[in-house]
Amino acid sequence: MWRPPRWATLPPVTARRLPAVLLLLYFVCLVYGSFFPFEFTYDRERIRHALDLPLPRLHDADGRRLISLPDVVSNVLLGAPFGALMAWSGLAGGPLATRVLRVVLADAGLAGAVEAGQLFAPSRTSSLVDVIAQVTGALAGLLLAHVLTGASPRPLGPRLACTLGERPALALLLAVAAVLAADALYPYAVTLDVSTVWHNLKSAQWRPLDTVRRAFWPDLLVEKALPWAALGGLARVALGEVVPARAGLVAWAAATALGVALEGGKLFIAGRAPSLDGALLASGGALVGVALAPALARVAAGRARASGWLVATAAALLAYEELTPFGVLRSVAAVRARVARVEWLPFASYYFADPQSALFDVGKKLVLGAALGAAMRHASPRPRLILVLVLAALLEAAQVFQPTHIASVGDALVIYVGALAGAYLVGRARAGNCP
């Protein structure tokens, strides 16, 4: 019987090796994102200008601001994972003073090298402000990790693993709630401007089922009703030990309250507006999930193939999201045009896209891949995760024949990375090692 090679299955990554691997991936992603699309040239005047004015200026001679606040915030967020991973891996040292010194010096050197390299990239702008912002973010990430883990970088991982192992329904509940919140509050343009909030309120949809009548029903069921049904079912399971007599009622009420709160939160998001249909879908979907949760739990407990059904469901959900709305090109010329637009260079389209939409798209594919990887790890101690990459590649290839999708190598890789992460989390949760 054929057996997959060892690299096709998830290797056992120890708690000490994982942060080092993540730190390496962070470095690769930082370099890739900082120099994409990898066009370099030597411009003597540009380098001379940078050396003549090394210190950042807040305003030009006419009083116009030269520093972009969104750029500063993005660089702070970019540096935060570095500090957290340095603390988690133990490379930052033990005492807090040593950690701060090492992280500041290491990230200053890394960010400074990147900014110096961008002097030779015409499409990039080098700035000492970016270095300062990244170092600030790294320091913030370090301090957050220090608060969570204390002087040792090791306790956090086992604590999270124990929590996942002891309360898997609660962990899944929080994950689904986070996904629903991310979808509802996109594009995350928070505003407290009174005129914007008032405009969103006036644009709200109050007529029942008005949006539902115009929507594409399959997408409505899969992307809206199904997640809320999952949330309701998981809430009932998670609350079963706390309030067993009223778990269903409390779970439905909590899910409905979350749906109403997310719709109300859209008032403070520029470009969004509350929808009565959104709240109704949340309440109705949660009610279905709460009602079906006991029956599904009995079926899953009584059937040995329940894990296989879970894998099939996750794979079907991934295929649906990759191929919806299932349009097909009807001419050879159109297919050839699509082939010419295949994104062979990973993440090329994200470079020119809006940052929020790019992050949302990446996050969605990571979640779908993580769900499939977690289901496969639940079904087998050594899942053949290479099959996720194969499935993702086939789905991306199928997009060549669709008018609404662009096939991308990067999307397949993102899905595969998500599967690795999902499988790893389930593996860590099952490992136990709880006191």
Side-chain angles (χ1 to χ4, degrees):
M1 184 177 66
W2 177 85
R3 293 181 180 275
R6 292 181 61 87
W7 56 267
T9 58
L10 182 68
V13 182
T14 64
R16 183 176 294 276
R17 289 167 54 194
L18 177 64
V21 171
L22 293 178
L23 195 60
L24 178 61
L25 289 176
Y26 170 84
F27 175 75
V28 172
C29 293
L30 176 66
V31 173
Y32 188 96
S34 299
F35 295 103
F36 184 88
F38 310 109
E39 297 176 351
F40 300 99
T41 185
Y42 177 74
D43 188 340
R44 181 178 300 177
E45 292 299 324
R46 184 184 185 192
I47 297 175
R48 179 181 301 172
H49 178 74
L51 294 177
D52 290 340
L53 299 172
L55 298 179
R57 292 184 300 163
L58 299 179
H59 300 86
D60 61 8
D62 298 327
R64 290 175 298 185
R65 189 170 62 182
L66 298 176
I67 298 176
S68 171
L69 183 60
D71 288 343
V72 172
V73 174
S74 63
N75 279 285
V76 170
L77 296 177
L78 182 63
F82 180 81
L85 291 173
M86 284 285 289
W88 187 14
S89 64
L91 296 176
L96 180 59
T98 302
R99 289 184 168 194
V100 170
L101 182 61
R102 288 188 180 181
V103 167
V104 168
L105 292 178
D107 196 54
L110 177 60
V114 169
E115 294 299 322
Q118 288 183 345
L119 289 173
F120 303 93
S123 60
R124 298 290 181 169
T125 301
S126 298
S127 173
L128 184 59
V129 175
D130 294 345
V131 177
I132 298 173
Q134 287 189 40
V135 173
T136 302
L139 185 58
L142 167 68
L143 294 177
L144 178 61
H146 182 81
V147 170
L148 294 176
T149 64
S152 172
R154 302 186 63 183
L156 181 60
R159 287 202 303 268
L160 291 178
C162 290
T163 301
L164 291 174
E166 295 172 356
R167 301 177 181 85
L170 178 60
L172 290 174
L173 175 66
L174 295 176
V176 174
V179 170
L180 288 170
D183 177 68
L185 302 180
Y186 175 82
Y188 321 119
V190 180
T191 179
L192 296 177
D193 182 69
V194 176
S195 60
T196 303
V197 174
W198 178 244
H199 177 268
N200 291 345
L201 182 61
K202 292 191 297 182
S203 303
Q205 178 263 321
W206 301 109
R207 183 182 301 175
L209 305 181
D210 185 54
T211 304
V212 174
R213 286 193 294 265
R214 300 191 305 258
F216 181 53
W217 273 89
D219 282 357
L220 197 66
L221 292 175
V222 173
E223 298 181 357
K224 302 297 182 182
L226 182 60
W228 282 107
L231 184 77
L234 290 169
R236 176 164 186 173
V237 174
L239 292 172
E241 299 179 358
V242 181
V243 283
R246 296 175 294 174
L249 178 61
V250 174
W252 174 76
T256 301
L258 177 62
V260 173
L262 290 178
E263 290 299 323
K266 292 179 181 179
L267 288 172
F268 304 96
I269 305 296
R272 299 302 301 269
S275 169
L276 179 61
D277 287 348
L280 292 176
L281 283 170
S283 181
L287 182 62
V288 172
V290 167
L292 294 180
L296 293 177
R298 287 194 297 270
V299 171
R303 290 190 178 182
R305 297 182 178 179
S307 297
W309 282 106
L310 185 63
V311 173
T313 301
L317 182 61
L318 173 62
Y320 180 91
E321 291 294 337
E322 282 286 281
L323 301 179
T324 185
F326 309 106
V328 179
L329 297 173
R330 301 183 182 275
S331 67
V332 177
V335 173
R336 289 177 178 173
R338 285 287 167 176
V339 172
R341 297 182 62 185
V342 171
E343 185 184 304
W344 297 106
L345 185 63
F347 315 116
S349 61
Y350 294 146
Y351 177 74
F352 302 100
D354 177 70
Q356 288 88 349
S357 61
L359 289 175
F360 183 81
D361 187 65
V362 170
K364 184 176 182 179
K365 289 178 170 57
L366 282 174
V367 169
L368 292 170
L372 182 54
M376 293 177 67
R377 179 62 181 85
H378 179 73
S380 170
R382 294 187 66 83
R384 301 173 182 176
L385 294 180
I386 192 64
L387 297 178
V388 178
L389 182 60
V390 173
L391 175 61
L394 291 176
L395 292 174
E396 292 296 324
Q399 291 181 355
V400 172
F401 303 94
Q402 293 189 297
T404 56
H405 293 283
I406 300 295
S408 170
V409 173
D411 290 349
L413 295 176
V414 169
I415 293 171
Y416 181 58
V417 170
L420 292 175
Y424 173 78
L425 290 176
V426 173
R428 290 292 298 166
R430 284 190 164 187
N433 299 326
C434 300

